[in-house]
Amino acid sequence: MSAVSEAVRVAPPGNPVSRSFRDSMVVAKRNLIRMSRIPEMIIYGLIQPIMFVVLFTYVFGGSMQIGGSASPVDYTNFLMAGIFAQTVTFATASSGAGIADDMHKGLIDRFRSLPMARGAVLTGRTLADLVQTAVTLVVLAVVALLVGWRVGSNGDTNAGKVLAAFGLLLLLGYAFTWIGALIGMSVRTPEAATSSGLIWLFPVTFISNAFVDPGHMTPWLRHIAEWNPFSATAQACRVFFANPGRSTSHAWPMEHPVWASLIYSILIIAVFRTLAVRKYRSAST
């Protein structure tokens, strides 16, 4: 390799942390600009969660019992925490597909030739996906209000708790985008990234307390649902929203859902960010 091309790969001097943050923000800005120029990416991302809200509320709501109540209103209030959690985790598929697409087009190779922090490319992408997820949550919350969802329907809450619930949702969504980043770095095409991302997401979201009370499941399935990271966040949101769905389970994540949600999300970020960045570095050598 020539001396010129070797010099291009040399990182500029400075604090590694600040340099990594700056590079990540540049990549995040690039991805946000790209998303704004392709609005159908956001529109199509909104259609699926809105369909879930409408279908579960009006098709299944009248036949579901929550805490002994068969009221469709109670089920709607119970349901929304699960729909919110499902929406943020489904960002995994788009994150993986986006990174796989950049890999397929050779854009990642161009980034590798630049003097930038190795983890900045993936961090910037996941941060951009986090912004898109936040926009999706805002729109979905408006739709939920239109179909009858109300905070404080089963007790007292306040604006701080509601914001804390959405913060936990965004943290979970950010954690799952790192799983998508690892998948995107491990497959060859965007189609493969989307398929492999959705295959495991459906069991994770449905074997949980998102749509039904796990107490009605068979014992072995109930234990899986109670220790599911997805269930912890959904339950924590119900606590903050003061919505129906108080758990009678003695599993630690259900008794302490807020702490469980935080611990699960931080662990997922720590593990999968490490694996994704390591995969990026090994592929760039």
Side-chain angles (χ1 to χ4, degrees):
M1 183 179 290
S2 67
V4 174
S5 55
E6 284 287 353
V8 172
R9 292 179 179 272
V10 176
N15 188 305
V17 176
S18 62
R19 188 173 65 247
S20 177
F21 176 78
R22 182 179 64 252
D23 293 344
S24 298
M25 291 301 102
V26 171
V27 177
K29 181 180 178 180
R30 172 259 172 188
N31 282 285
L32 288 173
I33 293 174
R34 178 173 178 266
M35 291 176 184
S36 66
R37 292 176 178 173
I38 312 176
E40 53 266 29
M41 292 176 60
I42 299 177
I43 294 173
Y44 291 146
L46 287 169
I47 291 176
Q48 185 177 26
I50 290 175
M51 287 179 59
F52 271 108
V53 171
V54 174
L55 287 174
F56 275 86
T57 299
Y58 294 111
V59 177
F60 301 110
S63 57
M64 296 289 187
Q65 288 193 0
I66 300 299
S69 171
S71 168
V73 175
D74 286 343
Y75 181 68
T76 299
N77 289 323
F78 169 86
L79 171 71
M80 285 317 304
I83 294 290
F84 289 145
Q86 183 193 51
T87 300
V88 300
T89 55
F90 270 40
T92 304
S94 62
S95 179
I99 292 174
D101 186 51
D102 287 343
M103 290 280 291
H104 185 68
K105 293 178 178 177
L107 185 62
I108 299 295
D109 291 331
R110 298 177 196 173
F111 282 134
R112 287 172 180 159
S113 68
L114 298 176
M116 62 189 302
R118 289 304 188 195
V121 175
L122 301 182
T123 302
R125 173 73 205 200
T126 55
L127 289 175
D129 288 334
L130 180 63
V131 174
Q132 182 179 355
T133 300
V135 173
T136 302
L137 274 181
V138 171
V139 176
L140 191 59
V142 173
V143 175
L145 292 171
L146 293 176
V147 299
W149 172 64
R150 297 293 182 270
V151 298
S153 60
N154 202 46
D156 294 328
T157 189
N158 53 53
K161 291 182 178 180
V162 172
L163 291 176
F166 283 109
L168 287 177
L169 288 166
L170 290 175
L171 182 62
L172 180 71
Y174 184 67
F176 272 60
T177 56
W178 279 107
I179 302 177
L182 179 61
I183 293 173
M185 291 295 302
S186 303
V187 299
R188 296 184 179 181
T189 64
E191 293 79 9
T194 301
S195 299
S196 57
L198 292 175
I199 286 173
W200 63 271
L201 271 175
F202 276 102
V204 167
T205 54
F206 280 92
I207 305 177
S208 69
N209 62 358
F211 309 111
V212 296
D213 181 359
H216 299 299
M217 300 179 182
T218 57
W220 67 271
L221 204 59
R222 182 176 68 247
H223 293 316
I224 294 176
E226 291 170 345
W227 287 88
N228 186 344
F230 183 88
S231 296
T233 299
Q235 190 63 28
C237 289
R238 292 188 182 109
V239 171
F240 281 140
F241 291 148
N243 283 159
R246 183 176 297 275
S247 176
T248 58
S249 169
H250 296 294
W252 187 85
M254 295 297 98
E255 291 185 335
H256 308 278
V258 177
W259 283 109
S261 177
L262 285 171
I263 292 171
Y264 276 137
S265 295
I266 292 172
L267 282 176
I268 291 172
I269 293 172
V271 172
F272 284 93
R273 187 185 189 281
T274 301
L275 294 174
V277 173
R278 183 178 299 173
K279 183 77 174 178
Y280 178 88
R281 287 175 175 170
S282 65
S284 63
T285 55

